[in-house]
Amino acid sequence: MSDFQDDLWFEDLAVYGPHGRLERVRPTPRPGRLQSLYKDLLLVRMFRSALDRLYSHWRSGAELDLPQTHDLLRNRFALTRDDLTAAESEPHWERTLGWMGRIAELTAERGARLLVMTYPYGHQVAVDEWETGRQHYGFAGDKVYPATPGERVERWARDRGLPALNLFPIFRERSDGTFYFPFDGHFTPKAQRLAGEELFRRLVALGWVGPAG
């Protein structure tokens, strides 16, 4: 769900040929000295983390409806909100699904197999997952956000005859409040294991790998 922002950021580095086909990607611009210092100093990162936690505590779980919460450049998870207009969301969907279509073309040209897999973030699973970190991005603390993004990715794959693994319903069904770190928001080891098991099960069902011995 955060790849939409990555595609938005890196699209400016893409170099296209005369027929609109991607030829190469320019190197990422090197950060200036102050920006490098900001990124590298552990003290700065610790200070920012403390401020983020204070902000999340001050927010008290209310949903923010501000321009920056809808702006994908400033909110990595903007497309997971449920109040975006089509004008706000569709250009980003078209960009990322377009790149996914190119991936499908490249794998088909080379005789490779492609499985499209998507997974949710904590605010799309349960109210007790990613409890504090979600507030930094303007999400409500007492609300489970829709699973429609995962469904859309799954539908896109199946419309093209590609196998898909949508982990949204599986994570929602089995969530116990310990699948995501409260502030960081990444998978805990328990969630990593579940995702790995489900991926392996699907690969076995497709006949792409053999069952565990």
Side-chain angles (χ1 to χ4, degrees):
M1 295 295 103
S2 64
D3 287 351
F4 293 97
Q5 190 191 65
D6 292 331
D7 291 340
L8 176 60
W9 277 350
F10 291 115
E11 186 176 54
D12 287 342
L13 302 177
V15 178
Y16 299 92
H19 301 292
R21 185 159 179 159
L22 178 68
E23 290 188 340
R24 61 187 176 88
V25 178
R26 295 193 304 274
T28 304
R30 296 184 64 180
R33 289 186 178 181
L34 287 178
Q35 188 176 5
S36 296
L37 187 65
Y38 173 78
K39 288 185 174 181
D40 294 340
L41 280 180
L42 179 60
L43 183 62
V44 172
R45 284 185 285 168
M46 290 174 63
F47 180 68
R48 180 179 176 183
S49 177
L51 286 179
D52 283 345
R53 291 173 186 273
L54 285 173
Y55 172 72
S56 296
H57 178 74
W58 171 75
R59 280 276 323 285
S60 300
E63 184 176 59
L64 288 184
D65 185 16
L66 298 171
Q68 59 265 32
T69 60
H70 292 241
D71 183 354
L72 190 61
L73 276 176
R74 291 185 284 177
N75 183 354
R76 190 166 182 77
F77 309 103
L79 263 64
T80 66
R81 293 179 63 98
D82 59 355
D83 58 353
L84 265 67
T85 65
E88 290 173 316
S89 63
E90 284 307 305
H92 303 304
W93 274 100
E94 290 175 6
R95 177 188 302 107
T96 292
L97 293 180
W99 285 119
M100 289 172 60
R102 184 64 187 128
I103 292 171
E105 291 172 3
L106 288 171
T107 53
E109 288 172 6
R110 288 157 175 75
R113 294 176 292 198
L114 177 64
L115 168 67
V116 178
M117 175 177 167
T118 187
Y119 60 86
Y121 281 89
H123 65 295
Q124 298 170 302
V125 173
V127 296
D128 57 354
E129 297 284 9
W130 193 32
E131 290 179 278
T132 55
R134 67 169 70 195
Q135 297 181 51
H136 177 76
Y137 295 94
F139 296 109
D142 60 352
K143 180 178 179 180
V144 179
Y145 285 79
T148 47
E151 295 165 358
R152 182 167 179 175
V153 171
E154 181 180 24
R155 186 169 62 250
W156 178 91
R158 290 183 173 166
D159 286 347
R160 287 155 182 77
L162 297 169
L165 175 57
N166 178 7
L167 291 178
F168 277 69
I170 295 169
F171 269 57
R172 286 184 165 202
E173 178 184 351
R174 302 190 192 180
S175 168
D176 61 358
T178 64
F179 281 3
Y180 302 81
F181 292 106
F183 185 79
D184 175 270
H186 284 89
F187 283 178
T188 62
K190 181 185 290 187
Q192 293 279 8
R193 182 176 183 86
L194 174 60
E197 289 173 346
E198 291 299 323
L199 175 58
F200 180 73
R201 185 176 293 112
R202 180 57 58 86
L203 292 174
V204 170
L206 290 168
W208 293 3
V209 299

